[in-house]
Amino acid sequence: MPDTTTATPATRKRLVSGPGLLLVWLYGVMVVGAVSRSAYQISTEFDRAPLAYSLSAAAALVYAFITYSLVRGGERARKAALVCCAAELVGVLAVGAWTLARPEAFPDATVWSDFGMGYLFIPVILPITGMLWLRKR
């Protein structure tokens, strides 16, 4: 079995097959949504809710990294995506709890506010699904 940590793209083990393809698609949609939202809000009204908009930008970076790792494939990318999904879940849970406990700290919502309620709870479901998928690979 080839070493997938230093393997070329042609020999790297694919992570994007079967249900993994849906996972990549959902992360891609979240990248577009979070980047669009945070870029607009940061460029037009950052002074209104800097913490919320910065957290949305951080979520966009996390989603982009996970998407890239899943598409790249290989054992190193799988491990990086797994760690990032765990960090994402911690972030969603922390920000979700924070927005419920101290709503006055967030004059506007983040991607992870209320555990992702504004995004149909996909932000809290996606990292759990991702970790389960990546552990099976």
Side-chain angles (χ1 to χ4, degrees):
M1 175 181 245
D3 177 17
T4 56
T5 58
T6 58
T8 64
T11 60
R12 218 178 273 135
K13 185 176 179 184
R14 285 181 48 107
L15 296 173
V16 185
S17 60
L21 188 57
L22 177 60
L23 192 63
V24 168
W25 185 84
L26 286 171
Y27 267 112
V29 168
M30 292 304 292
V31 169
V32 172
V35 166
S36 302
R37 176 186 185 141
S38 63
Y40 174 78
Q41 290 172 323
I42 287 171
S43 65
T44 61
E45 50 195 30
F46 185 72
D47 57 332
R48 183 173 151 215
L51 177 60
Y53 302 152
S54 297
L55 287 170
S56 288
L61 292 174
V62 169
Y63 294 143
F65 180 79
I66 293 170
T67 304
Y68 169 77
S69 296
L70 291 172
V71 169
R72 185 175 191 284
E75 184 59 20
R76 236 168 87 188
R78 185 194 68 78
K79 286 179 182 176
L82 187 58
V83 168
C84 213
C85 282
E88 174 194 358
L89 182 60
V90 168
V92 172
L93 295 175
V95 172
W98 191 5
T99 56
L100 292 176
R102 302 278 318 251
E104 68 277 1
F106 295 90
D108 202 356
T110 74
V111 174
W112 294 343
S113 290
D114 304 322
F115 306 104
M117 186 168 63
Y119 287 82
L120 305 173
F121 296 103
I122 292 171
V124 77
I125 296 168
L126 205 52
I128 295 168
T129 307
M131 288 187 299
L132 291 172
W133 171 252
L134 289 164
R135 287 189 68 195
K136 289 171 66 173
R137 302 300 294 167

